[in-house]
Each structure stands twice: as C-alpha cells, then as structure tokens.
Amino acid sequence: MDLKEIHRIAREKFKGACRVCPVCNGRACAGEMPGIGGIGTGSSFIANYESLARIKLNLRTLHEIREPDIQYDFFGRPLKMPVLVAPLAGMAINMGNAMEEQPYLSAMVAGAKEAGSMACTCDGPNPMFFDLGMEILRQNEGWGVPTLKPRPEEAFLPLARRAEECGVNAIATDIDAAGIIHLKKAGQPAGPWSVRAWKKVISQVKVPVILKGVMTVQDARLAVEAGAAGIVVSNHGGRVLDHTPGTAEVLPAIAAAVKGKIKIFVDGGIRSGADVLKMLALGADAVLVGRPMAIAAVGGGKEGVAFLLTQYADQLRTAMIYAACGSLAEVSSAALQSREMG
Ligand SMILES: Cc1cc2nc3c(=O)[nH]c(=O)nc-3n(C[C@H](O)[C@H](O)[C@H](O)COP(=O)(O)O)c2cc1C
C-alpha cells in the first residue's frame, strides 16, 4: 500500500465530492458545504493551509540526535505520536456517500489505534452519529475521543455518561458548532453557552473535557476558567465562519497565555510531519489531522489510516532530527526561522 494508490482509490470513490488534490489546501472545494470544503469563500480553510506553509523551519545538522522520542501521553493513554485524527462526520452529506458511515468510522478508530494514535468520533442531529461512535469505541476499549455537540446540560450530560461507560479517557465538545444551522433546524440547540454554564457541566463529567474551536486568547483563558482540561485551537477546518485567521496565526499568542495551564491541541491544514513540528514549535502539545485522514479511510480503510499516521510519525522524527530536537519537550520556537530574519 502506498499513498498514491490510496489516493487513486479515494478519488474514484468520492466521485468528485472530494477531488483528492495533490495538496489539500481548500482551493478546489472552496465554498462546498455541505461537502468537504470551507464555508463561504473558503478563506478560513485556505488561511489554515497557507499560514502554516509560510512558516519556515531551521535546518540543523551539527549534533548527535538520531532517534527522537515522539511518544505522547494523552491523559494517561500512551500514544506513539502527538498526532490524533480529528472528528469528521457525514459520509452521506459531506463526502458523496463514498463509504457507509459505520465502516468509515470504524476504519478511523481502529486504524488510529493500530498506528498508536487516537481518533475522535462524532455527534450530530441524527442520533446515529453518536451511537455509532459509542458502538465502535466499545469494540476498541474506549480508545478514542467522543466529540459531543455543545448541547444544553440536560442533553449533554447523558451523552457524556454513555461515553464514560465506554471507557474513554477524555471527551471533547466542538463549541464552535454553536452557529451550525442544521442542529437548530433539527430543534437541537447547540449554544453558545457562558463560562458559568460550561463550568457547571464540566464539573459533572468524570473524564477530562476538551473544548474544540478556540481561536482567541480570550476564549483560551475562559476555557481554563471553565475547568477544561484541553483546548483545540481550531476554526473547524474553516467550516463555521468565513474570514478567520489560520490556526497557525493565532496559536503562538494562545500558547503564550495558557501553555502549562491546559493542554493545547491544534488542527487545520496540517499535511505532513514537518507541519506537525511547526505546530509544536508554535506552542501546541499535540495536533489533529482532518481531511487527509478521511481520504485515507476511503482509499485504504483501516490500513490506509494506519499507513498515513505512521507516515506522519516517520516524517516528524525526520523533521525533529533536522531541528536538533531529541524529544517533544525539546521542541520550541528555536526550530522556526525567526520572523526578523524574514
Ligand atoms: C467533512 C467534515 C466533517 C467534519 N465534521 C466535524 C464534526 O462532526 N465535529 C467536529 O468537531 N469537527 C468536524 N469537522 C472539523 C474537523 O474536526 C477539523 O477541525 C478540521 O477538518 C481540521 O482541518 P483539516 O481538515 O484541514 O485538517 C469536520 C470537517 C470536515 C471537513
């Protein structure tokens, strides 16, 4: 199995719903929502990719680091890499029915587990999405992160209980889904909610709670105040609001404000191990990858997902050798070309 073959099969199965472009940068699919693109002009998805591409790495070779340690402890679960699979739902509505939702999600969760990573599962207006995640996580010893919609307390907590019973060690909630129309249309409010409301909810959940969809220093500080264990710096892959900055642009200020007080995850436009290194150097503890993982699942199933994650891990190790970093703790902004130098 190689990536070319995975992409060839995925391209066939998507039938145009995703073009499987040589670079997944949000241009060909701009505005395709429902679909796989970014909302409106597609500028927020494009900003994710382009802001990360603009960042350059220092190349260093006078040292003796040969086998960087990239193991990452995810709230007590040892991962072989600081790379997780983002929640991506909706084969029928967003991905041209390229696969049934069950085998797709199963490939994401089991493939990630096999590679020593972890995948997020989803929630949506149709209870099928959350139920599927629960069923698959139960089959995988809770090895995954259920991502709940930011529902009102009385709807959120029963889902959180079910997730806890599956043996998961953390849950997430995509607080940036607050404005998503299809939940409102289905009569299922999804916030936004105040810090006070989140504090109350989080205090009743037994496992760490990650707030996904933080793009400002203010919200990052509020997430700490709410008692969240982690944030995902994310604009939902550019799918909720047009004209946001790229996540790589807002990450350094957020890390300066809250690093060490809360775990910082980031997603958006990450396409290689070198991109992972850039995000870590900008202040993230670990990253999530979205669209390329869905493409790998469609083109190669569980093996495709494991293959791509293993490739990211290999690329990250290589990039860390060239950045003179022997471990994740050694990655810092020193890996990045300073802006003053141009
Ligand atoms: C088709 C599609 C479906 C998505 N579904 C969800 C979802 O159900 N929940 C969620 O929190 N994020 C969802 N996302 C956002 C991703 O989790 C992630 O934030 C984003 O895709 C990261 O950017 P990338 O695709 O450029 O790597 C979705 C994204 C796409 C493209």
Side-chain angles (χ1 to χ4, degrees):
M1 177 172 293
D2 66 23
L3 206 53
K4 238 183 167 167
E5 183 61 3
I6 292 173
H7 282 182
R8 188 190 63 73
I9 296 170
R11 204 170 286 117
E12 257 177 48
K13 288 197 180 169
F14 275 122
K15 293 188 206 76
C18 166
R19 273 62 144 206
V20 191
C21 302
V23 231
C24 175
N25 59 11
R27 290 206 170 267
C29 56
E32 290 181 8
M33 269 195 75
I36 198 134
I39 199 165
T41 64
S43 72
S44 300
F45 176 3
I46 293 168
N48 283 342
Y49 178 82
E50 292 188 349
S51 60
L52 193 50
R54 271 196 302 276
I55 292 164
K56 303 297 172 197
L57 293 163
N58 289 328
L59 172 64
R60 298 205 36 218
T61 42
L62 287 172
H63 58 76
E64 289 189 321
I65 293 161
R66 298 199 182 104
E67 282 182 40
D69 179 3
I70 63 165
Q71 293 176 82
Y72 179 69
D73 180 88
F74 180 79
F75 301 110
R77 289 249 164 122
L79 303 186
K80 288 188 185 153
M81 63 186 86
V83 182
L84 289 91
V85 178
L88 263 87
M91 267 292 145
I93 184 166
N94 292 317
M95 294 179 260
N97 264 320
M99 259 177 115
E100 293 287 322
E101 197 82 14
Q102 203 281 346
Y104 157 73
L105 193 61
S106 184
M108 295 283 247
V109 171
K113 187 169 176 231
E114 185 174 294
S117 164
M118 199 179 253
C120 299
T121 61
C122 302
D123 179 17
N126 183 338
M128 174 273 286
F129 288 105
F130 190 77
D131 293 349
L132 255 187
M134 291 298 100
E135 175 197 317
I136 292 166
L137 289 178
R138 228 173 282 119
Q139 291 159 3
N140 286 277
E141 294 84 38
W143 197 271
V145 190
T147 308
L148 283 60
K149 290 296 168 204
R151 300 173 181 281
E153 181 181 340
E154 62 279 10
F156 188 93
L157 287 175
L159 297 185
R161 287 287 99 82
R162 285 178 58 198
E164 289 162 5
E165 281 157 17
C166 278
V168 304
N169 66 324
I171 65 166
T173 174
D174 49 329
I175 51 172
D176 58 1
I180 287 180
I181 298 291
H182 61 264
L183 281 163
K184 280 201 190 102
K185 272 196 192 150
Q188 301 177 26
W193 313 109
S194 67
V195 178
R196 247 181 65 216
W198 275 119
K199 210 176 201 167
K200 185 155 174 259
V201 168
I202 290 172
S203 69
Q204 295 173 78
V205 179
K206 296 188 189 101
V207 293
V209 177
I210 301 164
L211 299 183
K212 176 174 181 283
V214 169
M215 285 293 286
T216 61
V217 168
Q218 294 95 307
D219 277 5
R221 289 208 170 103
L222 291 173
V224 174
E225 198 183 317
I231 51 171
V232 185
V233 175
S234 173
N235 59 14
H236 215 101
R239 291 169 68 78
V240 290
L241 178 66
D242 206 355
H243 306 296
T244 73
T247 52
E249 292 172 273
V250 299
L251 176 59
I254 290 175
V258 300
K259 183 110 180 181
K261 296 181 187 152
I262 197 165
K263 293 289 175 204
I264 303 174
F265 305 93
V266 65
D267 70 17
I270 297 163
R271 304 292 180 256
S272 68
D275 285 347
V276 177
L277 176 62
K278 289 180 189 181
M279 287 301 203
L280 301 181
L282 291 171
D285 292 299
V287 310
L288 277 61
V289 180
R291 294 171 179 91
M293 298 313 314
I295 294 169
V298 169
K302 173 182 158 187
E303 288 73 27
V305 169
F307 178 89
L308 184 56
L309 286 164
T310 305
Q311 180 165 303
Y312 288 149
D314 291 343
Q315 291 170 342
L316 174 60
R317 265 185 231 102
T318 303
M320 282 173 63
I321 291 174
Y322 283 120
C325 299
S327 68
L328 297 179
E330 285 174 29
V331 177
S332 73
S333 58
L336 306 176
Q337 183 194 32
S338 80
R339 280 152 218 242
E340 301 85 71
M341 284 166 73

mmCIF file of all heavy atoms in Angstrom, residues 169-203:
data_model
loop_
_atom_site.group_PDB
_atom_site.id
_atom_site.type_symbol
_atom_site.label_atom_id
_atom_site.label_comp_id
_atom_site.label_asym_id
_atom_site.label_seq_id
_atom_site.Cartn_x
_atom_site.Cartn_y
_atom_site.Cartn_z
ATOM 1 N N ASN A 169 -11.040 7.959 27.950
ATOM 2 C CA ASN A 169 -10.306 8.682 28.994
ATOM 3 C C ASN A 169 -10.400 10.191 28.830
ATOM 4 O O ASN A 169 -9.799 10.935 29.605
ATOM 5 C CB ASN A 169 -8.841 8.223 29.054
ATOM 6 C CG ASN A 169 -8.099 8.587 27.807
ATOM 7 O OD1 ASN A 169 -8.660 8.543 26.719
ATOM 8 N ND2 ASN A 169 -6.848 8.988 27.953
ATOM 9 N N ALA A 170 -11.139 10.663 27.822
ATOM 10 C CA ALA A 170 -11.414 12.094 27.663
ATOM 11 C C ALA A 170 -12.568 12.239 26.680
ATOM 12 O O ALA A 170 -12.814 11.337 25.867
ATOM 13 C CB ALA A 170 -10.183 12.817 27.114
ATOM 14 N N ILE A 171 -13.268 13.356 26.779
ATOM 15 C CA ILE A 171 -14.249 13.678 25.738
ATOM 16 C C ILE A 171 -13.958 15.092 25.252
ATOM 17 O O ILE A 171 -13.256 15.860 25.919
ATOM 18 C CB ILE A 171 -15.716 13.586 26.235
ATOM 19 C CG1 ILE A 171 -16.010 14.642 27.321
ATOM 20 C CG2 ILE A 171 -16.051 12.200 26.729
ATOM 21 C CD1 ILE A 171 -17.506 14.822 27.591
ATOM 22 N N ALA A 172 -14.504 15.405 24.078
ATOM 23 C CA ALA A 172 -14.352 16.763 23.551
ATOM 24 C C ALA A 172 -15.727 17.300 23.204
ATOM 25 O O ALA A 172 -16.701 16.543 23.105
ATOM 26 C CB ALA A 172 -13.462 16.738 22.310
ATOM 27 N N THR A 173 -15.812 18.605 23.051
ATOM 28 C CA THR A 173 -17.040 19.195 22.528
ATOM 29 C C THR A 173 -16.657 20.333 21.593
ATOM 30 O O THR A 173 -15.814 21.168 21.947
ATOM 31 C CB THR A 173 -18.000 19.660 23.656
ATOM 32 O OG1 THR A 173 -19.109 20.342 23.056
ATOM 33 C CG2 THR A 173 -17.326 20.562 24.676
ATOM 34 N N ASP A 174 -17.227 20.299 20.399
ATOM 35 C CA ASP A 174 -16.864 21.339 19.420
ATOM 36 C C ASP A 174 -17.728 22.570 19.661
ATOM 37 O O ASP A 174 -18.767 22.750 19.040
ATOM 38 C CB ASP A 174 -16.941 20.829 17.969
ATOM 39 C CG ASP A 174 -18.225 20.100 17.603
ATOM 40 O OD1 ASP A 174 -18.819 19.458 18.491
ATOM 41 O OD2 ASP A 174 -18.629 20.164 16.425
ATOM 42 N N ILE A 175 -17.230 23.421 20.580
ATOM 43 C CA ILE A 175 -18.002 24.615 20.967
ATOM 44 C C ILE A 175 -18.219 25.549 19.775
ATOM 45 O O ILE A 175 -19.112 26.374 19.788
ATOM 46 C CB ILE A 175 -17.327 25.379 22.141
ATOM 47 C CG1 ILE A 175 -15.846 25.665 21.858
ATOM 48 C CG2 ILE A 175 -17.479 24.614 23.439
ATOM 49 C CD1 ILE A 175 -15.196 26.566 22.896
ATOM 50 N N ASP A 176 -17.399 25.387 18.725
ATOM 51 C CA ASP A 176 -17.592 26.239 17.544
ATOM 52 C C ASP A 176 -18.734 25.748 16.651
ATOM 53 O O ASP A 176 -19.000 26.319 15.596
ATOM 54 C CB ASP A 176 -16.286 26.381 16.748
ATOM 55 C CG ASP A 176 -15.711 25.044 16.289
ATOM 56 O OD1 ASP A 176 -16.326 24.003 16.557
ATOM 57 O OD2 ASP A 176 -14.635 25.052 15.672
ATOM 58 N N ALA A 177 -19.426 24.696 17.078
ATOM 59 C CA ALA A 177 -20.610 24.249 16.338
ATOM 60 C C ALA A 177 -21.831 25.068 16.738
ATOM 61 O O ALA A 177 -22.933 24.841 16.241
ATOM 62 C CB ALA A 177 -20.870 22.769 16.574
ATOM 63 N N ALA A 178 -21.613 26.034 17.626
ATOM 64 C CA ALA A 178 -22.727 26.827 18.166
ATOM 65 C C ALA A 178 -23.600 27.438 17.073
ATOM 66 O O ALA A 178 -24.813 27.514 17.225
ATOM 67 C CB ALA A 178 -22.192 27.922 19.082
ATOM 68 N N GLY A 179 -22.989 27.864 15.979
ATOM 69 C CA GLY A 179 -23.779 28.543 14.951
ATOM 70 C C GLY A 179 -24.278 27.619 13.854
ATOM 71 O O GLY A 179 -24.912 28.076 12.899
ATOM 72 N N ILE A 180 -24.022 26.346 13.966
ATOM 73 C CA ILE A 180 -24.348 25.439 12.855
ATOM 74 C C ILE A 180 -25.873 25.294 12.691
ATOM 75 O O ILE A 180 -26.592 24.946 13.627
ATOM 76 C CB ILE A 180 -23.642 24.066 13.027
ATOM 77 C CG1 ILE A 180 -22.143 24.254 12.741
ATOM 78 C CG2 ILE A 180 -24.223 23.024 12.085
ATOM 79 C CD1 ILE A 180 -21.318 22.980 12.863
ATOM 80 N N ILE A 181 -26.309 25.621 11.477
ATOM 81 C CA ILE A 181 -27.743 25.726 11.194
ATOM 82 C C ILE A 181 -28.471 24.385 11.329
ATOM 83 O O ILE A 181 -29.572 24.329 11.854
ATOM 84 C CB ILE A 181 -27.941 26.268 9.742
ATOM 85 C CG1 ILE A 181 -27.345 27.672 9.618
ATOM 86 C CG2 ILE A 181 -29.389 26.224 9.312
ATOM 87 C CD1 ILE A 181 -28.086 28.757 10.370
ATOM 88 N N HIS A 182 -27.839 23.286 10.865
ATOM 89 C CA HIS A 182 -28.623 22.048 10.809
ATOM 90 C C HIS A 182 -29.030 21.522 12.191
ATOM 91 O O HIS A 182 -30.023 20.838 12.320
ATOM 92 C CB HIS A 182 -27.948 20.961 9.952
ATOM 93 C CG HIS A 182 -26.610 20.518 10.413
ATOM 94 N ND1 HIS A 182 -25.446 21.024 9.919
ATOM 95 C CD2 HIS A 182 -26.255 19.608 11.340
ATOM 96 C CE1 HIS A 182 -24.429 20.433 10.510
ATOM 97 N NE2 HIS A 182 -24.891 19.571 11.378
ATOM 98 N N LEU A 183 -28.291 21.900 13.223
ATOM 99 C CA LEU A 183 -28.705 21.500 14.578
ATOM 100 C C LEU A 183 -29.937 22.310 15.000
ATOM 101 O O LEU A 183 -30.886 21.772 15.558
ATOM 102 C CB LEU A 183 -27.565 21.720 15.578
ATOM 103 C CG LEU A 183 -26.485 20.643 15.556
ATOM 104 C CD1 LEU A 183 -25.231 21.129 16.251
ATOM 105 C CD2 LEU A 183 -26.982 19.364 16.211
ATOM 106 N N LYS A 184 -29.883 23.612 14.712
ATOM 107 C CA LYS A 184 -31.040 24.473 15.047
ATOM 108 C C LYS A 184 -32.274 23.989 14.301
ATOM 109 O O LYS A 184 -33.352 23.883 14.865
ATOM 110 C CB LYS A 184 -30.734 25.919 14.652
ATOM 111 C CG LYS A 184 -29.874 26.635 15.669
ATOM 112 C CD LYS A 184 -29.990 28.148 15.544
ATOM 113 C CE LYS A 184 -28.922 28.779 16.407
ATOM 114 N NZ LYS A 184 -27.780 29.258 15.642
ATOM 115 N N LYS A 185 -32.091 23.680 13.016
ATOM 116 C CA LYS A 185 -33.224 23.225 12.188
ATOM 117 C C LYS A 185 -33.837 21.958 12.753
ATOM 118 O O LYS A 185 -35.025 21.723 12.637
ATOM 119 C CB LYS A 185 -32.730 22.951 10.757
ATOM 120 C CG LYS A 185 -32.756 24.162 9.865
ATOM 121 C CD LYS A 185 -32.627 23.695 8.416
ATOM 122 C CE LYS A 185 -32.364 24.845 7.479
ATOM 123 N NZ LYS A 185 -31.581 24.427 6.306
ATOM 124 N N ALA A 186 -32.983 21.107 13.343
ATOM 125 C CA ALA A 186 -33.472 19.848 13.917
ATOM 126 C C ALA A 186 -34.034 20.062 15.323
ATOM 127 O O ALA A 186 -34.337 19.092 16.025
ATOM 128 C CB ALA A 186 -32.339 18.824 13.927
ATOM 129 N N GLY A 187 -34.140 21.337 15.738
ATOM 130 C CA GLY A 187 -34.686 21.633 17.059
ATOM 131 C C GLY A 187 -33.747 21.232 18.187
ATOM 132 O O GLY A 187 -34.174 20.923 19.297
ATOM 133 N N GLN A 188 -32.426 21.212 17.888
ATOM 134 C CA GLN A 188 -31.445 20.823 18.911
ATOM 135 C C GLN A 188 -30.477 21.979 19.131
ATOM 136 O O GLN A 188 -29.485 22.092 18.426
ATOM 137 C CB GLN A 188 -30.678 19.581 18.452
ATOM 138 C CG GLN A 188 -31.566 18.386 18.182
ATOM 139 C CD GLN A 188 -30.781 17.199 17.652
ATOM 140 O OE1 GLN A 188 -29.594 17.048 17.898
ATOM 141 N NE2 GLN A 188 -31.452 16.346 16.911
ATOM 142 N N PRO A 189 -30.765 22.832 20.120
ATOM 143 C CA PRO A 189 -29.879 23.985 20.333
ATOM 144 C C PRO A 189 -28.460 23.546 20.687
ATOM 145 O O PRO A 189 -28.273 22.505 21.319
ATOM 146 C CB PRO A 189 -30.530 24.741 21.496
ATOM 147 C CG PRO A 189 -31.434 23.755 22.152
ATOM 148 C CD PRO A 189 -31.829 22.746 21.099
ATOM 149 N N ALA A 190 -27.486 24.342 20.232
ATOM 150 C CA ALA A 190 -26.083 23.973 20.490
ATOM 151 C C ALA A 190 -25.288 25.196 20.932
ATOM 152 O O ALA A 190 -24.197 25.442 20.444
ATOM 153 C CB ALA A 190 -25.486 23.350 19.228
ATOM 154 N N GLY A 191 -25.868 25.937 21.850
ATOM 155 C CA GLY A 191 -25.140 27.069 22.403
ATOM 156 C C GLY A 191 -25.203 28.279 21.511
ATOM 157 O O GLY A 191 -26.053 28.349 20.640
ATOM 158 N N PRO A 192 -24.306 29.250 21.680
ATOM 159 C CA PRO A 192 -23.196 29.217 22.640
ATOM 160 C C PRO A 192 -23.637 29.331 24.106
ATOM 161 O O PRO A 192 -24.705 29.841 24.393
ATOM 162 C CB PRO A 192 -22.366 30.445 22.234
ATOM 163 C CG PRO A 192 -23.264 31.317 21.430
ATOM 164 C CD PRO A 192 -24.349 30.477 20.887
ATOM 165 N N TRP A 193 -22.756 28.822 24.984
ATOM 166 C CA TRP A 193 -23.009 28.845 26.422
ATOM 167 C C TRP A 193 -21.903 29.626 27.132
ATOM 168 O O TRP A 193 -20.774 29.669 26.653
ATOM 169 C CB TRP A 193 -23.058 27.420 26.999
ATOM 170 C CG TRP A 193 -23.906 26.486 26.198
ATOM 171 C CD1 TRP A 193 -23.463 25.459 25.431
ATOM 172 C CD2 TRP A 193 -25.332 26.490 26.067
ATOM 173 N NE1 TRP A 193 -24.515 24.818 24.827
ATOM 174 C CE2 TRP A 193 -25.678 25.427 25.192
ATOM 175 C CE3 TRP A 193 -26.351 27.274 26.602
ATOM 176 C CZ2 TRP A 193 -26.995 25.143 24.844
ATOM 177 C CZ3 TRP A 193 -27.670 26.980 26.254
ATOM 178 C CH2 TRP A 193 -27.978 25.934 25.393
ATOM 179 N N SER A 194 -22.248 30.185 28.283
ATOM 180 C CA SER A 194 -21.286 31.004 29.040
ATOM 181 C C SER A 194 -20.256 30.129 29.759
ATOM 182 O O SER A 194 -20.436 28.915 29.884
ATOM 183 C CB SER A 194 -22.038 31.817 30.094
ATOM 184 O OG SER A 194 -22.558 30.917 31.054
ATOM 185 N N VAL A 195 -19.213 30.778 30.277
ATOM 186 C CA VAL A 195 -18.219 30.054 31.082
ATOM 187 C C VAL A 195 -18.886 29.416 32.291
ATOM 188 O O VAL A 195 -18.555 28.282 32.671
ATOM 189 C CB VAL A 195 -17.137 31.026 31.607
ATOM 190 C CG1 VAL A 195 -16.138 30.306 32.473
ATOM 191 C CG2 VAL A 195 -16.432 31.671 30.463
ATOM 192 N N ARG A 196 -19.831 30.147 32.887
ATOM 193 C CA ARG A 196 -20.514 29.592 34.066
ATOM 194 C C ARG A 196 -21.228 28.286 33.726
ATOM 195 O O ARG A 196 -21.156 27.307 34.469
ATOM 196 C CB ARG A 196 -21.524 30.618 34.598
ATOM 197 C CG ARG A 196 -21.084 31.114 35.970
ATOM 198 C CD ARG A 196 -22.010 32.111 36.605
ATOM 199 N NE ARG A 196 -23.325 31.584 36.929
ATOM 200 C CZ ARG A 196 -24.448 32.307 36.821
ATOM 201 N NH1 ARG A 196 -24.405 33.546 36.380
ATOM 202 N NH2 ARG A 196 -25.606 31.786 37.152
ATOM 203 N N ALA A 197 -21.890 28.290 32.570
ATOM 204 C CA ALA A 197 -22.619 27.092 32.153
ATOM 205 C C ALA A 197 -21.644 25.930 31.917
ATOM 206 O O ALA A 197 -21.877 24.797 32.366
ATOM 207 C CB ALA A 197 -23.415 27.384 30.892
ATOM 208 N N TRP A 198 -20.521 26.222 31.264
ATOM 209 C CA TRP A 198 -19.542 25.158 30.990
ATOM 210 C C TRP A 198 -18.906 24.635 32.278
ATOM 211 O O TRP A 198 -18.667 23.438 32.430
ATOM 212 C CB TRP A 198 -18.467 25.631 30.009
ATOM 213 C CG TRP A 198 -18.913 25.482 28.582
ATOM 214 C CD1 TRP A 198 -19.062 26.476 27.660
ATOM 215 C CD2 TRP A 198 -19.301 24.263 27.925
ATOM 216 N NE1 TRP A 198 -19.521 25.947 26.472
ATOM 217 C CE2 TRP A 198 -19.669 24.603 26.595
ATOM 218 C CE3 TRP A 198 -19.381 22.928 28.318
ATOM 219 C CZ2 TRP A 198 -20.106 23.646 25.673
ATOM 220 C CZ3 TRP A 198 -19.816 21.970 27.389
ATOM 221 C CH2 TRP A 198 -20.171 22.335 26.093
ATOM 222 N N LYS A 199 -18.640 25.573 33.191
ATOM 223 C CA LYS A 199 -18.031 25.174 34.472
ATOM 224 C C LYS A 199 -18.924 24.131 35.150
ATOM 225 O O LYS A 199 -18.447 23.106 35.640
ATOM 226 C CB LYS A 199 -17.919 26.422 35.350
ATOM 227 C CG LYS A 199 -16.766 26.408 36.300
ATOM 228 C CD LYS A 199 -16.710 27.729 37.035
ATOM 229 C CE LYS A 199 -15.343 27.950 37.597
ATOM 230 N NZ LYS A 199 -15.168 29.325 38.050
ATOM 231 N N LYS A 200 -20.218 24.410 35.160
ATOM 232 C CA LYS A 200 -21.184 23.518 35.808
ATOM 233 C C LYS A 200 -21.202 22.150 35.097
ATOM 234 O O LYS A 200 -21.162 21.107 35.751
ATOM 235 C CB LYS A 200 -22.567 24.168 35.759
ATOM 236 C CG LYS A 200 -23.633 23.437 36.489
ATOM 237 C CD LYS A 200 -24.763 24.376 36.912
ATOM 238 C CE LYS A 200 -25.896 23.547 37.511
ATOM 239 N NZ LYS A 200 -26.993 23.341 36.544
ATOM 240 N N VAL A 201 -21.220 22.174 33.786
ATOM 241 C CA VAL A 201 -21.258 20.909 33.026
ATOM 242 C C VAL A 201 -19.962 20.130 33.241
ATOM 243 O O VAL A 201 -19.974 18.939 33.583
ATOM 244 C CB VAL A 201 -21.498 21.190 31.522
ATOM 245 C CG1 VAL A 201 -21.251 19.937 30.694
ATOM 246 C CG2 VAL A 201 -22.911 21.701 31.299
ATOM 247 N N ILE A 202 -18.825 20.814 33.054
ATOM 248 C CA ILE A 202 -17.520 20.132 33.134
ATOM 249 C C ILE A 202 -17.324 19.509 34.527
ATOM 250 O O ILE A 202 -16.783 18.403 34.650
ATOM 251 C CB ILE A 202 -16.386 21.113 32.760
ATOM 252 C CG1 ILE A 202 -16.462 21.425 31.253
ATOM 253 C CG2 ILE A 202 -15.002 20.549 33.122
ATOM 254 C CD1 ILE A 202 -15.529 22.523 30.770
ATOM 255 N N SER A 203 -17.804 20.198 35.555
ATOM 256 C CA SER A 203 -17.601 19.676 36.918
ATOM 257 C C SER A 203 -18.365 18.359 37.115
ATOM 258 O O SER A 203 -18.074 17.606 38.036
ATOM 259 C CB SER A 203 -18.042 20.712 37.952
ATOM 260 O OG SER A 203 -19.448 20.840 37.900
#
